[in-house]
Amino acid sequence: MAPKPVQTAAETPSGDPKHAARATRSAGRQMRSRLLDAASRLFRERGLAGASISDIAAAADAFPSQITYYFRTKEALFVEAACRDMLYVARAAEQATLRVHTPRDYTRALVESVTATDSVAFFAEALTLTRRRQDLAPLVERTIERLHGEGLRAYSNQIERHGWNTLRDPDATSRRFWAVAIGVMVEGYAMGRSAEELCAEMLRVLGEQATTTPAAARLRVVDHGVSNSSDGETSS
Amino acid sequence: MAPKPVQTAAETPSGDPKHAARATRSAGRQMRSRLLDAASRLFRERGLAGASISDIAAAADAFPSQITYYFRTKEALFVEAACRDMLYVARAAEQATLRVHTPRDYTRALVESVTATDSVAFFAEALTLTRRRQDLAPLVERTIERLHGEGLRAYSNQIERHGWNTLRDPDATSRRFWAVAIGVMVEGYAMGRSAEELCAEMLRVLGEQATTTPAAARLRVVDHGVSNSSDGETSS
């Protein structure tokens, strides 16, 4: 990809209208970002109904009119904050797997990362809201596409890098990961589960890649490729 | 378990206070059930915010005070209606599998059954609500326990009956099924997906759950207790 053209200081005197427009855009981006930060914090604590536009504006040191200017409605702000946080979680999960060497550690690193915060539950709340607000569906759809696309890319890279044998189509594996994450979190948060319990349940439900004690399980899974090899490691 | 004592007609003349109490209880159950039916219909159409207590009472030909008498709050009515419907869906899904002969048809029958209605999405909405209303968590918890327990029983029965090879621990398989159902439905309803699209996505995400031909599978599941016995039946 070609690098972006760099403008020198001489080309951008402070009186240049282009510079002023850029400065405005940049200030706008900062304000947007600050509003999303405050919204994320308050919505996670209190839910959609528990946080008002004026609460969020106050927390971001802004005016309520700035929220309606940038986001139009509280619901749109809720969904955008949740979508942004979900993509952050996906990136953090990917980062958490960079140093792992086995499929089991890989799955555990991913699951620990996504169960450490309530971002997936926040996102699930945004999905539930969007069902009744189809005007917000395009943002949700783009987020889910990115989630699946980036998940597929990250998983495929790991498989290739380590020479692992994936148990099935990597795209389905990545989609399953997020569907299970949403399902387990929605169930678990309703029942007031701790992060440790959510992590254990998600590992259990995801399966294969995370089987820890085959001897204790009623069923033992034997990978024919590995069971004949000398290292004796069971499954993956 | 000892059978319930049966009262003869002679013991229960219509003037008997016990009979009157039973009649009242029965009328109460009928009213409760009618209110749940109306609530389910209106909440599915309009969501929690879109249906008021008086709308629901009117639809059930009842008084708003009867809703608060039986359920206390609109949120409790929402959660109870959604939990009841979720258990109905689980039962319908089980019924749908009674005539299948292969693991693939079994999974397809289950998935077609649960994606044919919006009951799972309704239940997911109740779960999301319960996160902020932990007083309602016990009902949700009982529902999820029944869902997993009945799912495990139904799946184990099928495996035993057909002599299928389950690809993994049946309990985890059943829990995964419902976690995936919730995750896929929450995502899909947000994006306005059709029942056919939800069904295809759920099948894709679930993958294979059991096989008839272990040789064809990459993983073979061995039940240690049974694999040494002479009948050769796999697992239960």
Side-chain angles (χ1 to χ4, degrees):
Chain A
M1 212 167 69
K4 285 184 190 163
V6 177
Q7 283 188 302
T8 64
E11 290 169 351
T12 57
S14 56
D16 183 337
K18 277 186 196 164
H19 177 70
R22 242 189 333 272
T24 307
R25 274 202 304 276
S26 163
R29 270 199 301 271
Q30 277 172 31
M31 173 52 77
R32 249 184 148 271
S33 170
R34 227 164 67 205
L35 291 169
L36 286 168
D37 289 342
S40 168
R41 204 168 62 246
L42 292 188
F43 284 140
R44 280 157 187 266
E45 270 172 37
R46 311 180 194 168
L48 177 69
S52 69
I53 285 188
S54 51
D55 293 339
I56 295 163
D61 200 14
F63 296 106
S65 61
Q66 290 176 292
I67 291 184
T68 49
Y69 174 74
Y70 285 109
F71 302 97
R72 304 180 65 108
T73 64
K74 188 169 85 161
E75 288 73 19
L77 174 59
F78 187 96
V79 171
E80 187 162 339
C83 286
R84 187 191 65 154
D85 289 3
M86 188 68 175
L87 293 173
Y88 284 168
V89 156
R91 216 164 302 153
E94 193 183 333
Q95 288 290 318
T97 64
L98 289 181
R99 264 184 265 270
V100 304
H101 297 288
T102 67
R104 182 174 302 181
D105 288 347
Y106 174 72
T107 303
R108 177 170 284 277
L110 282 180
V111 169
E112 279 176 353
S113 184
V114 304
T115 54
T117 73
D118 66 347
S119 294
V120 176
F122 182 25
F123 184 62
E125 208 170 335
L127 292 176
T128 303
L129 167 66
T130 304
R131 180 185 173 191
R132 311 271 171 208
R133 284 290 305 264
Q134 283 289 300
D135 56 312
L136 304 174
L139 176 57
V140 159
E141 188 139 10
R142 279 199 305 278
T143 302
I144 290 177
E145 267 169 28
R146 272 186 68 180
L147 208 60
H148 290 170
E150 292 181 10
L152 170 60
R153 180 190 45 70
Y155 184 59
S156 302
N157 284 349
Q158 286 279 343
I159 288 170
E160 193 172 8
R161 186 173 144 215
H162 296 288
W164 294 338
N165 295 302
T166 182
L167 292 176
R168 48 206 295 273
D169 168 17
D171 183 38
T173 304
S174 162
R175 298 172 95 89
R176 175 195 281 183
F177 180 85
W178 290 114
V180 164
I182 291 170
V184 167
M185 302 290 224
V186 166
E187 279 187 2
Y189 270 91
M191 298 189 289
R193 294 283 184 262
S194 68
E196 290 71 30
E197 289 169 316
L198 292 168
C199 181
E201 177 70 2
M202 205 181 148
L203 283 170
R204 184 179 181 194
V205 167
L206 272 176
E208 280 92 304
Q209 300 165 89
T211 309
T212 46
T213 51
R218 291 191 59 228
L219 295 173
R220 198 169 67 110
V221 175
V222 180
D223 183 320
H224 288 288
V226 175
S227 61
N228 296 328
S229 73
S230 57
D231 67 14
E233 203 180 292
T234 307
S235 174
S236 57
Chain B
M1 210 166 69
K4 284 184 191 163
V6 176
Q7 283 190 303
T8 63
E11 288 169 352
T12 56
S14 57
D16 184 334
K18 278 186 196 166
H19 176 71
R22 239 192 333 272
T24 307
R25 274 203 303 279
S26 163
R29 269 200 300 272
Q30 276 171 30
M31 173 52 77
R32 248 186 148 271
S33 170
R34 225 165 68 205
L35 290 170
L36 286 168
D37 289 342
S40 169
R41 203 168 63 247
L42 292 188
F43 284 140
R44 280 157 186 267
E45 269 172 38
R46 310 179 193 170
L48 177 68
S52 69
I53 284 188
S54 51
D55 293 339
I56 296 164
D61 200 13
F63 295 106
S65 61
Q66 290 175 292
I67 291 184
T68 50
Y69 173 77
Y70 285 109
F71 302 97
R72 303 179 65 104
T73 63
K74 187 169 85 162
E75 287 74 17
L77 174 60
F78 187 95
V79 171
E80 187 162 340
C83 286
R84 186 190 66 153
D85 288 3
M86 188 68 174
L87 293 173
Y88 285 166
V89 156
R91 216 163 305 152
E94 194 182 334
Q95 289 291 318
T97 64
L98 289 181
R99 264 183 265 270
V100 304
H101 298 288
T102 67
R104 180 168 302 177
D105 288 348
Y106 174 72
T107 303
R108 175 169 286 275
L110 282 180
V111 169
E112 279 176 353
S113 184
V114 303
T115 53
T117 73
D118 66 347
S119 294
V120 176
F122 182 25
F123 184 62
E125 207 169 335
L127 293 175
T128 303
L129 167 66
T130 304
R131 181 186 172 190
R132 312 271 171 206
R133 283 290 305 265
Q134 282 290 299
D135 56 312
L136 305 173
L139 175 59
V140 159
E141 189 139 9
R142 280 198 304 279
T143 303
I144 291 178
E145 267 169 27
R146 274 187 67 181
L147 207 60
H148 290 170
E150 292 181 11
L152 169 60
R153 178 189 48 67
Y155 184 58
S156 302
N157 284 349
Q158 286 279 345
I159 288 170
E160 192 170 10
R161 187 173 143 216
H162 296 288
W164 293 340
N165 297 295
T166 181
L167 291 176
R168 47 205 299 272
D169 168 16
D171 183 39
T173 303
S174 162
R175 299 174 94 88
R176 175 195 280 183
F177 179 85
W178 290 115
V180 164
I182 292 169
V184 167
M185 303 290 225
V186 166
E187 280 187 1
Y189 271 91
M191 298 189 290
R193 294 283 183 262
S194 69
E196 291 71 31
E197 289 169 317
L198 291 167
C199 181
E201 176 70 2
M202 207 181 146
L203 283 170
R204 184 180 181 191
V205 167
L206 271 177
E208 252 184 356
Q209 303 195 100
T211 63
T212 44
T213 51
R218 292 192 58 227
L219 294 172
R220 200 169 65 108
V221 174
V222 180
D223 184 319
H224 289 289
V226 176
S227 60
N228 295 330
S229 73
S230 58
D231 65 14
E233 202 181 294
T234 306
S235 174
S236 58

